[in-house]
Amino acid sequence: MRTALRDLRTAAGLSQQQCADALGVTRQTVISIEKGHFDPRLSLAFRIARFFDTTVDELFVDE
């Protein structure tokens, strides 16, 4: 699954650790989502979308 997390995070000027802290996850989780190695649970997907003021559909694209 392709994700826009890296683009949104860097546009916001956040490090992976800052993003992880804001979302209540580990830095490794952010890295894994950005690389497409981990598909987050729906609750985390919505938390990420709310944090970046976007939708889950815009954040994650099923390829």
Side-chain angles (χ1 to χ4, degrees), residues 21-57:
D21 291 344
L23 296 171
V25 298
T26 65
R27 181 174 167 265
Q28 186 60 41
T29 298
V30 171
I31 291 168
S32 295
I33 293 170
E34 287 184 352
K35 289 184 176 183
H37 297 175
F38 174 71
D39 294 332
R41 293 183 321 188
L42 197 51
S43 60
L44 178 54
F46 277 108
R47 193 172 348 145
I48 295 169
R50 276 193 306 270
F51 181 77
F52 287 105
D53 194 30
T54 190
T55 65
V56 172
D57 287 345

